[in-house]
C-alpha cells in the first residue's frame, strides 16, 4: 500500500514533484507556476534576513577588541611563505579540514593543540598576524 501525497498547491491531485527551493509538493507545471511566485517572495525575504544578519555581524566584527585581529592582518596570512609551505603537508590539511567540519571546534582545537604540527602552524599564524618585537641592534654612527 503506497502513501500518496496530495499536491500542496491545488490540494486535488497526487503530487509528483517537489519545489527545489522549499520542497513543497506539487502536481503539475501549472501548480508549480502558481507556487513559484510565493516561493520567490519567501526566498527573497529569507535572503534579505540573512543579508541583514551578515551586515550586523560585519558591524560587530569591525569592532576592535583585545582578542580580535584586523582584516588587514588576517590577509597577511595569505602571503606568508612559511604558512604556504606548511600547508603542503597532507596531515596538516586533514587536521584543518577536520577542524573546519567540527560541530565542536573548541574541543577539536584543544585536541589538536597536542599535535606538534598543528602547534607549529598555529604559532606561525600568530607570528604572521602579531609579530613579536624583533631584537633590534642599534647602529652607532
Amino acid at each position: 500500500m503506497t502513501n500518496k501525497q496530495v499536491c500542496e498547491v491545488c490540494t486535488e491531485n497526487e503530487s509528483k514533484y517537489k519545489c527545489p527551493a522549499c520542497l513543497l509538493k506539487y502536481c503539475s507545471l501549472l501548480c508549480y507556476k502558481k507556487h513559484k511566485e510565493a516561493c520567490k517572495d519567501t526566498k527573497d525575504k529569507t535572503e534579505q534576513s540573512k543579508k541583514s544578519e551578515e551586515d550586523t555581524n560585519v558591524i560587530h566584527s569591525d569592532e576592535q577588541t583585545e582578542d580580535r585581529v584586523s582584516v588587514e592582518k588576517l590577509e597577511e596570512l595569505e602571503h606568508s611563505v612559511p604558512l604556504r609551505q606548511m600547508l603542503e603537508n597532507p596531515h596538516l590539511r586533514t587536521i584543518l579540514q577536520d577542524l573546519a567540519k567540527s560541530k565542536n571546534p573548541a574541543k577539536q582545537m584543544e585536541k589538536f593543540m597536542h599535535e606538534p604540527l598543528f602547534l607549529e602552524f598555529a604559532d606561525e599564524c600568530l607570528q604572521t598576524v602579531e609579530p613579536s618585537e624583533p631584537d633590534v641592534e642599534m647602529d652607532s654612527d
Side-chain angles (χ1 to χ4, degrees), residues 81-110:
V81 173
L83 284 176
R84 284 180 181 262
Q85 291 170 342
M86 293 174 89
L87 288 168
E88 291 175 6
N89 184 312
H91 181 59
L92 178 60
R93 288 199 310 268
T94 300
I95 289 173
L96 294 173
Q97 288 169 344
D98 289 349
L99 184 59
K101 294 176 188 174
S102 176
K103 293 184 181 188
N104 189 345
K107 185 177 181 182
Q108 195 77 342
M109 179 82 79
E110 190 176 316

Side-chain angles (χ1 to χ4, degrees), residues 5 9-10 16 25 31 47 51-52 54 62 64 79 90 106 113:
Q5 299 283 326
V9 178
C10 70
K16 297 178 184 175
K25 296 173 183 83
C31 284
E47 287 175 0
K51 173 122 175 67
S52 175
E54 288 171 3
D62 286 345
Q64 289 299 313
H79 306 290
M113 289 306 278

Side-chain angles (χ1 to χ4, degrees), residues 59-72:
I59 291 168
H60 291 299
S61 68
D62 286 345
E63 297 171 1
Q64 289 299 313
T65 66
E66 188 177 310
D67 294 335
R68 292 196 186 256
V69 177
S70 71
V71 173
E72 293 80 18

Side-chain angles (χ1 to χ4, degrees), residues 2 6 12 15 26-27 29 32-33 38 45 51 54-55 66-67 70 74 80 97 100 107 118 120 124 141:
T2 59
V6 176
E12 294 174 8
S15 67
Y26 62 93
C27 67
L29 182 59
Y32 176 71
K33 286 181 178 181
K45 287 177 186 172
K51 173 122 175 67
E54 288 171 3
D55 291 345
E66 188 177 310
D67 294 335
S70 71
L74 288 174
S80 168
Q97 288 169 344
K107 185 177 181 182
F118 183 76
E120 185 181 344
E124 186 61 39
D141 287 311

